[in-house]
PDB file of all heavy atoms in Angstrom:
ATOM      1  N   LEU B 130       5.141  10.755  18.760  1.00  0.00           N
ATOM      2  CA  LEU B 130       5.124  10.475  20.189  1.00  0.00           C
ATOM      3  C   LEU B 130       5.056   8.971  20.439  1.00  0.00           C
ATOM      4  O   LEU B 130       5.781   8.425  21.280  1.00  0.00           O
ATOM      5  CB  LEU B 130       3.913  11.168  20.810  1.00  0.00           C
ATOM      6  CG  LEU B 130       4.085  11.724  22.216  1.00  0.00           C
ATOM      7  CD1 LEU B 130       5.162  12.776  22.264  1.00  0.00           C
ATOM      8  CD2 LEU B 130       2.762  12.293  22.714  1.00  0.00           C
ATOM      9  N   ALA B 131       4.198   8.306  19.671  1.00  0.00           N
ATOM     10  CA  ALA B 131       4.053   6.852  19.817  1.00  0.00           C
ATOM     11  C   ALA B 131       5.367   6.152  19.480  1.00  0.00           C
ATOM     12  O   ALA B 131       5.783   5.213  20.161  1.00  0.00           O
ATOM     13  CB  ALA B 131       2.938   6.352  18.907  1.00  0.00           C
ATOM     14  N   ARG B 132       6.006   6.617  18.427  1.00  0.00           N
ATOM     15  CA  ARG B 132       7.264   6.002  18.028  1.00  0.00           C
ATOM     16  C   ARG B 132       8.352   6.220  19.065  1.00  0.00           C
ATOM     17  O   ARG B 132       9.128   5.323  19.355  1.00  0.00           O
ATOM     18  CB  ARG B 132       7.734   6.605  16.703  1.00  0.00           C
ATOM     19  CG  ARG B 132       6.954   6.104  15.541  1.00  0.00           C
ATOM     20  CD  ARG B 132       7.854   6.034  14.347  1.00  0.00           C
ATOM     21  NE  ARG B 132       7.171   5.398  13.237  1.00  0.00           N
ATOM     22  CZ  ARG B 132       7.765   5.035  12.134  1.00  0.00           C
ATOM     23  NH1 ARG B 132       9.054   5.241  11.990  1.00  0.00           N
ATOM     24  NH2 ARG B 132       7.094   4.452  11.168  1.00  0.00           N
ATOM     25  N   GLN B 133       8.401   7.417  19.591  1.00  0.00           N
ATOM     26  CA  GLN B 133       9.402   7.729  20.603  1.00  0.00           C
ATOM     27  C   GLN B 133       9.328   6.710  21.741  1.00  0.00           C
ATOM     28  O   GLN B 133      10.348   6.148  22.145  1.00  0.00           O
ATOM     29  CB  GLN B 133       9.146   9.131  21.133  1.00  0.00           C
ATOM     30  CG  GLN B 133      10.215   9.625  22.082  1.00  0.00           C
ATOM     31  CD  GLN B 133       9.869  10.993  22.615  1.00  0.00           C
ATOM     32  OE1 GLN B 133       8.727  11.260  23.001  1.00  0.00           O
ATOM     33  NE2 GLN B 133      10.850  11.865  22.629  1.00  0.00           N
ATOM     34  N   GLU B 134       8.128   6.455  22.165  1.00  0.00           N
ATOM     35  CA  GLU B 134       7.918   5.508  23.256  1.00  0.00           C
ATOM     36  C   GLU B 134       8.387   4.110  22.859  1.00  0.00           C
ATOM     37  O   GLU B 134       9.099   3.433  23.607  1.00  0.00           O
ATOM     38  CB  GLU B 134       6.429   5.474  23.606  1.00  0.00           C
ATOM     39  CG  GLU B 134       6.157   5.219  25.060  1.00  0.00           C
ATOM     40  CD  GLU B 134       4.672   5.311  25.366  1.00  0.00           C
ATOM     41  OE1 GLU B 134       4.034   6.274  24.874  1.00  0.00           O
ATOM     42  OE2 GLU B 134       4.159   4.416  26.060  1.00  0.00           O
ATOM     43  N   ARG B 135       7.996   3.673  21.670  1.00  0.00           N
ATOM     44  CA  ARG B 135       8.389   2.359  21.156  1.00  0.00           C
ATOM     45  C   ARG B 135       9.902   2.199  21.141  1.00  0.00           C
ATOM     46  O   ARG B 135      10.446   1.171  21.581  1.00  0.00           O
ATOM     47  CB  ARG B 135       7.925   2.248  19.705  1.00  0.00           C
ATOM     48  CG  ARG B 135       6.843   1.332  19.340  1.00  0.00           C
ATOM     49  CD  ARG B 135       7.002  -0.119  19.393  1.00  0.00           C
ATOM     50  NE  ARG B 135       7.220  -0.741  18.098  1.00  0.00           N
ATOM     51  CZ  ARG B 135       6.359  -0.717  17.086  1.00  0.00           C
ATOM     52  NH1 ARG B 135       5.209  -0.108  17.197  1.00  0.00           N
ATOM     53  NH2 ARG B 135       6.662  -1.323  15.972  1.00  0.00           N
ATOM     54  N   HIS B 136      10.572   3.225  20.619  1.00  0.00           N
ATOM     55  CA  HIS B 136      12.029   3.127  20.518  1.00  0.00           C
ATOM     56  C   HIS B 136      12.680   3.048  21.887  1.00  0.00           C
ATOM     57  O   HIS B 136      13.651   2.325  22.079  1.00  0.00           O
ATOM     58  CB  HIS B 136      12.584   4.313  19.723  1.00  0.00           C
ATOM     59  CG  HIS B 136      12.211   4.286  18.274  1.00  0.00           C
ATOM     60  ND1 HIS B 136      12.517   3.221  17.454  1.00  0.00           N
ATOM     61  CD2 HIS B 136      11.540   5.167  17.487  1.00  0.00           C
ATOM     62  CE1 HIS B 136      12.048   3.464  16.231  1.00  0.00           C
ATOM     63  NE2 HIS B 136      11.442   4.623  16.224  1.00  0.00           N
ATOM     64  N   ARG B 137      12.121   3.762  22.823  1.00  0.00           N
ATOM     65  CA  ARG B 137      12.675   3.712  24.183  1.00  0.00           C
ATOM     66  C   ARG B 137      12.488   2.337  24.811  1.00  0.00           C
ATOM     67  O   ARG B 137      13.381   1.805  25.451  1.00  0.00           O
ATOM     68  CB  ARG B 137      12.018   4.790  25.050  1.00  0.00           C
ATOM     69  CG  ARG B 137      12.602   6.148  24.755  1.00  0.00           C
ATOM     70  CD  ARG B 137      11.997   7.213  25.612  1.00  0.00           C
ATOM     71  NE  ARG B 137      12.583   8.504  25.257  1.00  0.00           N
ATOM     72  CZ  ARG B 137      12.096   9.663  25.636  1.00  0.00           C
ATOM     73  NH1 ARG B 137      11.012   9.714  26.393  1.00  0.00           N
ATOM     74  NH2 ARG B 137      12.693  10.786  25.288  1.00  0.00           N
ATOM     75  N   ASP B 138      11.312   1.775  24.589  1.00  0.00           N
ATOM     76  CA  ASP B 138      11.032   0.424  25.094  1.00  0.00           C
ATOM     77  C   ASP B 138      12.028  -0.578  24.531  1.00  0.00           C
ATOM     78  O   ASP B 138      12.640  -1.358  25.264  1.00  0.00           O
ATOM     79  CB  ASP B 138       9.628  -0.029  24.674  1.00  0.00           C
ATOM     80  CG  ASP B 138       8.556   0.521  25.590  1.00  0.00           C
ATOM     81  OD1 ASP B 138       8.918   1.242  26.539  1.00  0.00           O
ATOM     82  OD2 ASP B 138       7.373   0.229  25.356  1.00  0.00           O
ATOM     83  N   LEU B 139      12.151  -0.554  23.217  1.00  0.00           N
ATOM     84  CA  LEU B 139      13.030  -1.507  22.559  1.00  0.00           C
ATOM     85  C   LEU B 139      14.474  -1.310  23.011  1.00  0.00           C
ATOM     86  O   LEU B 139      15.212  -2.275  23.209  1.00  0.00           O
ATOM     87  CB  LEU B 139      12.925  -1.360  21.034  1.00  0.00           C
ATOM     88  CG  LEU B 139      11.677  -1.997  20.431  1.00  0.00           C
ATOM     89  CD1 LEU B 139      11.510  -1.582  18.976  1.00  0.00           C
ATOM     90  CD2 LEU B 139      11.777  -3.521  20.518  1.00  0.00           C
ATOM     91  N   HIS B 140      14.851  -0.065  23.199  1.00  0.00           N
ATOM     92  CA  HIS B 140      16.210   0.219  23.641  1.00  0.00           C
ATOM     93  C   HIS B 140      16.482  -0.453  24.972  1.00  0.00           C
ATOM     94  O   HIS B 140      17.519  -1.096  25.161  1.00  0.00           O
ATOM     95  CB  HIS B 140      16.419   1.731  23.745  1.00  0.00           C
ATOM     96  CG  HIS B 140      17.833   2.117  24.042  1.00  0.00           C
ATOM     97  ND1 HIS B 140      18.267   2.389  25.316  1.00  0.00           N
ATOM     98  CD2 HIS B 140      18.915   2.250  23.245  1.00  0.00           C
ATOM     99  CE1 HIS B 140      19.565   2.686  25.275  1.00  0.00           C
ATOM    100  NE2 HIS B 140      19.985   2.604  24.029  1.00  0.00           N
ATOM    101  N   ALA B 141      15.540  -0.334  25.866  1.00  0.00           N
ATOM    102  CA  ALA B 141      15.693  -0.939  27.189  1.00  0.00           C
ATOM    103  C   ALA B 141      15.807  -2.461  27.075  1.00  0.00           C
ATOM    104  O   ALA B 141      16.622  -3.093  27.750  1.00  0.00           O
ATOM    105  CB  ALA B 141      14.494  -0.560  28.066  1.00  0.00           C
ATOM    106  N   GLN B 142      14.996  -3.027  26.184  1.00  0.00           N
ATOM    107  CA  GLN B 142      15.009  -4.469  25.974  1.00  0.00           C
ATOM    108  C   GLN B 142      16.379  -4.957  25.485  1.00  0.00           C
ATOM    109  O   GLN B 142      16.936  -5.918  26.004  1.00  0.00           O
ATOM    110  CB  GLN B 142      13.982  -4.800  24.890  1.00  0.00           C
ATOM    111  CG  GLN B 142      12.929  -5.792  25.293  1.00  0.00           C
ATOM    112  CD  GLN B 142      11.991  -6.041  24.120  1.00  0.00           C
ATOM    113  OE1 GLN B 142      11.050  -5.263  23.920  1.00  0.00           O
ATOM    114  NE2 GLN B 142      12.250  -7.090  23.361  1.00  0.00           N
ATOM    115  N   TYR B 143      16.883  -4.273  24.472  1.00  0.00           N
ATOM    116  CA  TYR B 143      18.182  -4.656  23.920  1.00  0.00           C
ATOM    117  C   TYR B 143      19.288  -4.471  24.960  1.00  0.00           C
ATOM    118  O   TYR B 143      20.226  -5.256  25.030  1.00  0.00           O
ATOM    119  CB  TYR B 143      18.520  -3.822  22.678  1.00  0.00           C
ATOM    120  CG  TYR B 143      17.675  -4.144  21.469  1.00  0.00           C
ATOM    121  CD1 TYR B 143      17.094  -3.143  20.712  1.00  0.00           C
ATOM    122  CD2 TYR B 143      17.490  -5.464  21.070  1.00  0.00           C
ATOM    123  CE1 TYR B 143      16.327  -3.431  19.589  1.00  0.00           C
ATOM    124  CE2 TYR B 143      16.726  -5.764  19.956  1.00  0.00           C
ATOM    125  CZ  TYR B 143      16.141  -4.749  19.221  1.00  0.00           C
ATOM    126  OH  TYR B 143      15.387  -5.038  18.120  1.00  0.00           O
ATOM    127  N   GLN B 144      19.150  -3.418  25.737  1.00  0.00           N
ATOM    128  CA  GLN B 144      20.181  -3.139  26.734  1.00  0.00           C
ATOM    129  C   GLN B 144      20.302  -4.282  27.732  1.00  0.00           C
ATOM    130  O   GLN B 144      21.406  -4.677  28.108  1.00  0.00           O
ATOM    131  CB  GLN B 144      19.847  -1.835  27.472  1.00  0.00           C
ATOM    132  CG  GLN B 144      21.060  -1.216  28.143  1.00  0.00           C
ATOM    133  CD  GLN B 144      21.034   0.291  28.058  1.00  0.00           C
ATOM    134  OE1 GLN B 144      19.991   0.911  28.295  1.00  0.00           O
ATOM    135  NE2 GLN B 144      22.156   0.904  27.720  1.00  0.00           N
ATOM    136  N   ALA B 145      19.161  -4.825  28.117  1.00  0.00           N
ATOM    137  CA  ALA B 145      19.160  -5.944  29.062  1.00  0.00           C
ATOM    138  C   ALA B 145      19.913  -7.137  28.459  1.00  0.00           C
ATOM    139  O   ALA B 145      20.736  -7.766  29.133  1.00  0.00           O
ATOM    140  CB  ALA B 145      17.727  -6.329  29.408  1.00  0.00           C
ATOM    141  N   LYS B 146      19.629  -7.411  27.186  1.00  0.00           N
ATOM    142  CA  LYS B 146      20.309  -8.518  26.493  1.00  0.00           C
ATOM    143  C   LYS B 146      21.815  -8.249  26.404  1.00  0.00           C
ATOM    144  O   LYS B 146      22.643  -9.155  26.534  1.00  0.00           O
ATOM    145  CB  LYS B 146      19.757  -8.665  25.063  1.00  0.00           C
ATOM    146  CG  LYS B 146      18.336  -9.157  24.990  1.00  0.00           C
ATOM    147  CD  LYS B 146      18.271 -10.671  24.783  1.00  0.00           C
ATOM    148  CE  LYS B 146      16.845 -11.177  24.925  1.00  0.00           C
ATOM    149  NZ  LYS B 146      16.770 -12.623  25.040  1.00  0.00           N
ATOM    150  N   TYR B 147      22.126  -7.000  26.138  1.00  0.00           N
ATOM    151  CA  TYR B 147      23.520  -6.609  25.952  1.00  0.00           C
ATOM    152  C   TYR B 147      24.320  -6.821  27.229  1.00  0.00           C
ATOM    153  O   TYR B 147      25.438  -7.329  27.207  1.00  0.00           O
ATOM    154  CB  TYR B 147      23.578  -5.137  25.532  1.00  0.00           C
ATOM    155  CG  TYR B 147      24.948  -4.644  25.129  1.00  0.00           C
ATOM    156  CD1 TYR B 147      25.408  -4.815  23.834  1.00  0.00           C
ATOM    157  CD2 TYR B 147      25.780  -3.982  26.045  1.00  0.00           C
ATOM    158  CE1 TYR B 147      26.651  -4.360  23.448  1.00  0.00           C
ATOM    159  CE2 TYR B 147      27.026  -3.522  25.671  1.00  0.00           C
ATOM    160  CZ  TYR B 147      27.468  -3.709  24.364  1.00  0.00           C
ATOM    161  OH  TYR B 147      28.700  -3.259  23.986  1.00  0.00           O
ATOM    162  N   LYS B 148      23.712  -6.441  28.342  1.00  0.00           N
ATOM    163  CA  LYS B 148      24.365  -6.567  29.649  1.00  0.00           C
ATOM    164  C   LYS B 148      24.899  -7.974  29.884  1.00  0.00           C
ATOM    165  O   LYS B 148      25.966  -8.171  30.457  1.00  0.00           O
ATOM    166  CB  LYS B 148      23.381  -6.196  30.775  1.00  0.00           C
ATOM    167  CG  LYS B 148      23.198  -4.707  30.950  1.00  0.00           C
ATOM    168  CD  LYS B 148      24.032  -4.150  32.102  1.00  0.00           C
ATOM    169  CE  LYS B 148      24.395  -2.687  31.940  1.00  0.00           C
ATOM    170  NZ  LYS B 148      23.412  -1.742  32.438  1.00  0.00           N
TER     171      LYS B 148
END
Side-chain angles (χ1 to χ4, degrees):
Chain B
L130 215 61
R132 285 213 173 190
Q133 186 182 44
E134 213 175 315
R135 249 291 258 298
H136 292 303
R137 282 181 181 167
D138 278 0
L139 282 169
H140 187 263
Q142 236 181 276
Y143 290 133
Q144 201 143 45
K146 291 264 171 193
Y147 188 85
K148 282 261 153 87

